[in-house]
Amino acid sequence: MRPDDLQSLTLPGSVSVQGDLVLVNVATPDLTANAYRGGLYRVPLDGSGAQRWTWAERDLAPRISPDGRWVAFLRAEKGGKPQLHVMSATGGDARRLTDLPLGAGVPVWSPDSTKLAFTARVPEAGRYGVPIAEGEEPWKPESEAPRHIQRLDYRFDDIGFVGDRCPRLFTVDAVDPAAKPVELTDGSFDVADPAWTSDGTALVFVSDRDLGAVETLHQDVYRVPATGGEPELYVRSKGIVAHPVAFGDGILFYGSEFTGVHSVARNMSLWRYTDGTLTRVTELESVDCERAAGAPVVTDAGVLVAVRNRGAVELRRVAVDGVELPLAELEVLAGERAEVKSFAADGDVVVAVVTRSDNTGEVVRVGGGELTSFGASVPLRPSVELTGSASDGYPVHGWLVLPEGEGPHPVLLVVHGGPFMYHGWGFFDEAQVYAAAGYAVVLPNPRGSAGYGQAHGQSVVGGFGTVDVDDVLSVLDVALERPDLDADRVGVMGGSYGGFMTSWLAAHHGERFRAAWSERAVNAWDSFSGSSDIGWFFTEAYCGPSLETQRAMSPLTYAEKVSIPFMVVHSEHDWRCPLEQAQRQFVALRRNGVEAEMLLFPGEGHELTRSGQPRHRKQRFDHVLAWWGRHLS
């Protein structure tokens, strides 16, 4: 895979099924238009091949109605925001249901297949292109009134300021062509993950504790009548909540447990709330539900959830009446040595989008194999699993993606972000591009990563730069035992926490590397705590409240120890790891005489490498390959 091959990738996303109708949205980066294109595909259950079903600029998030008659989805016209549409399940023209200035969220069908619920951010008058009064010209951003900020949680990366456009809960009649969306909440608090109750008379949703009266990391589940009314507390949770779904007279949801600001590196369990009783269904330590793969799905045979497990994201079945079930007792349906990206079920038909290191993703039927061939568009390299031990005897784990040829190959050590994330068995475009350019790519999952038990993730709390460093270097050593890798030509790179680790390794173990590429990094915890959107809690949760301790864990503190060539890479609109983190590191290195350079991407946030503008993603790859071509040739 080369940088230009970005525009050849076919990436399946969200899947839905009712009866014999299976729909999935597919996206492809378009370098010429600098946009993402793609429509909905119908996937026959007989494996005869996916067929394009819609042909707009970009359609996504298909949701088939419970009676199988209708399909709701989001459509983004050229240059516009995603708006809610509905069409017959037999095909035909789509009917637009919303015209909201900032677009609509993912639709959720009512049990009787007549209504849809969704969330949408509604801007204040005079902001985000909305005029103050009807008929007036919209204000330009530079002419807007000042923001009067009175909270710590006033902005979020890749969204921006949030207090002046809180998401609201809407419903809309999907059958009546004259129906208009109805607001059920007033925008004075956040609303997320709406779901209908089993009888369709009410909706539940996630919001900050006490409806966001004060800054908090705790979330609860609230309930509001479908006809409108005041929201009421429905479930008081133990921490963070995601994806509630109806379950008999109660609900199921994902949730973590913590106190105060100590929300980091916490496994997401499946919880059940019935008859006023809250029960943890899956074991806290061993089971970590992947909420990014979607909500739990209730079937007659059990509840389907996606679980993070040693670099895999597996679709597992959970007993409905279970209590504290460990990972070993959850049946695996799909995703072994792979990653499940989304899943759905209707009766005994279970489908999922599954990706592997050498495949961008296919729709599979559980028990029936692959139904599509989306991942064949670009030739990709497989992963080799790496296992070994750190210096203290702790087991280490990671992957190696090898280029073609006998070697010895130059090596790139690539550290993931988070740190409570993971490298895995799924498709990773960066590893594929580097391998195609001739580099052996080492992908470690050190202590602090997700998918190895909560204790593994918690082991770096208060200990950045200790056991995580040992694990990263130990995985590298395991790889370098191979004769087809060149131990004298090794570079280190990573983003976010991976950028932190790159800066740290360059200062403390620089003799092992020819050069470094540190991207969207945390370099100084003292300023991060006040400049990052999550800094007000994240710094203390991982490093503690002491400024002395924070500085001891900051790579910037040791910048004078760096001597290898060093590239600092950042996005100008990154609010997760703000630009000042890059600037401080760059200035310190240059003043110390290091061969340091800085690469800045305008208009991008923290997610540049995953969802940034296609042209910027391609340009970044070009710069990466040019940098390593200079220093590892």
Side-chain angles (χ1 to χ4, degrees), residues 168-171 182-186 189 203 224-229 231:
R168 305 184 188 190
L169 177 61
F170 291 80
T171 61
V182 177
E183 289 188 17
L184 296 187
T185 61
D186 61 6
F189 50 85
L203 287 132
V224 63
T227 55

Side-chain angles (χ1 to χ4, degrees), residues 84-100:
L84 184 56
H85 288 66
V86 68
M87 64 187 295
S88 169
T90 59
D93 294 332
R95 179 164 52 87
R96 182 167 171 164
L97 301 181
T98 63
D99 186 16
L100 296 162

Side-chain angles (χ1 to χ4, degrees), residues 22 74 76 126 176 206 236 271 306 368 423 437 451 465 527 543:
V22 179
L74 298 178
D176 181 0
V206 175
R236 180 73 76 177
W271 296 78
H423 284 310
S527 59
C543 303

Side-chain angles (χ1 to χ4, degrees), residues 10-63:
T10 305
L11 304 164
S14 183
V15 67
S16 183
V17 58
Q18 282 292 331
D20 62 356
L21 178 61
V22 179
L23 295 175
V24 64
N25 65 266
V26 175
T28 297
D30 186 332
L31 294 178
T32 302
N34 198 27
Y36 292 88
R37 308 292 195 195
L40 306 184
Y41 281 71
R42 179 168 186 164
V43 182
L45 289 171
D46 62 7
S48 58
Q51 306 155 0
R52 186 75 182 258
W53 203 64
T54 64
W55 297 88
E57 288 281 323
R58 190 178 187 193
D59 293 339
L60 61 156
R63 298 294 186 268

Side-chain angles (χ1 to χ4, degrees), residues 525-546:
W525 291 106
D526 56 353
S527 59
F528 177 91
S529 63
S531 60
S532 168
D533 62 340
I534 62 172
W536 61 278
F537 69 88
F538 193 87
T539 303
E540 181 176 340
Y542 264 116
C543 303
S546 166

Side-chain angles (χ1 to χ4, degrees), residues 207-503:
S207 188
D208 293 340
R209 178 149 297 171
D210 300 324
L211 296 176
V214 297
E215 303 96 326
T216 177
L217 298 175
H218 282 76
Q219 299 171 317
D220 295 316
V221 182
Y222 289 82
R223 177 183 172 119
V224 63
T227 55
E230 289 297 317
E232 297 179 344
L233 177 65
Y234 185 50
V235 181
R236 180 73 76 177
S237 81
K238 305 286 187 177
I240 290 174
V241 179
H243 295 315
V245 296
F247 176 67
D249 293 333
I251 60 170
L252 298 167
F253 61 88
Y254 299 142
S256 65
E257 184 174 2
F258 61 89
T259 58
V261 299
H262 301 285
S263 63
V264 298
R266 303 286 178 177
N267 281 355
M268 294 291 282
S269 302
L270 179 67
W271 296 78
R272 180 178 65 244
Y273 181 78
T274 54
D275 299 324
T277 301
L278 182 61
T279 305
R280 190 197 304 273
V281 179
T282 57
E283 184 186 70
L284 171 63
E285 172 58 29
S286 65
V287 181
D288 185 14
C289 297
E290 177 57 274
R291 58 179 172 175
V297 174
V298 181
T299 72
D300 291 340
V303 182
L304 307 183
V305 299
V307 177
R308 306 197 283 196
N309 180 29
R310 294 181 59 81
V313 178
E314 300 165 340
L315 182 62
R316 296 203 175 218
R317 182 154 35 214
V318 183
V320 171
D321 57 353
V323 177
E324 298 280 355
L325 296 173
L327 186 67
E329 293 185 18
L330 310 185
E331 180 188 1
V332 181
L333 302 181
E336 289 185 282
R337 301 172 75 86
E339 292 183 27
V340 171
K341 293 298 184 182
S342 64
F343 59 96
D346 180 37
D348 60 357
V349 177
V350 180
V351 294
V353 172
V354 180
T355 174
R356 301 186 303 272
S357 62
D358 58 353
N359 189 296
T360 59
E362 306 293 357
V363 178
V364 304
R365 179 177 181 177
V366 172
E370 293 184 356
L371 302 177
T372 61
S373 56
F374 293 129
S377 55
V378 177
L380 302 172
R381 304 290 295 167
S383 292
V384 177
E385 191 172 13
L386 300 174
T387 59
S389 299
S391 63
D392 61 359
Y394 193 86
V396 295
H397 190 216
W399 286 266
L400 174 66
V401 181
L402 286 167
E404 294 182 354
E406 297 181 358
H409 307 292
V411 180
L412 290 179
L413 174 64
V414 181
V415 185
H416 65 68
F420 197 56
M421 278 299 295
Y422 53 92
H423 284 310
W425 289 105
F427 170 70
F428 182 32
D429 61 348
E430 293 193 47
Q432 295 297 328
V433 169
Y434 308 151
Y439 301 99
V441 185
V442 179
L443 305 168
N445 275 351
R447 271 169 275 189
S449 302
Y452 298 81
Q454 182 164 288
H456 181 94
Q458 288 276 309
S459 60
V460 296
V461 172
F464 281 142
T466 58
V467 294
D468 49 351
V469 171
D470 193 5
D471 289 0
V472 166
L473 294 179
S474 297
V475 172
L476 176 62
D477 288 337
V478 170
L480 292 178
E481 291 175 359
R482 297 175 58 106
D484 54 351
L485 270 60
D486 188 346
D488 293 326
R489 289 188 295 160
V490 182
V492 59
M493 65 185 299
S496 197
Y497 167 78
F500 160 92
M501 183 59 70
T502 298
S503 300

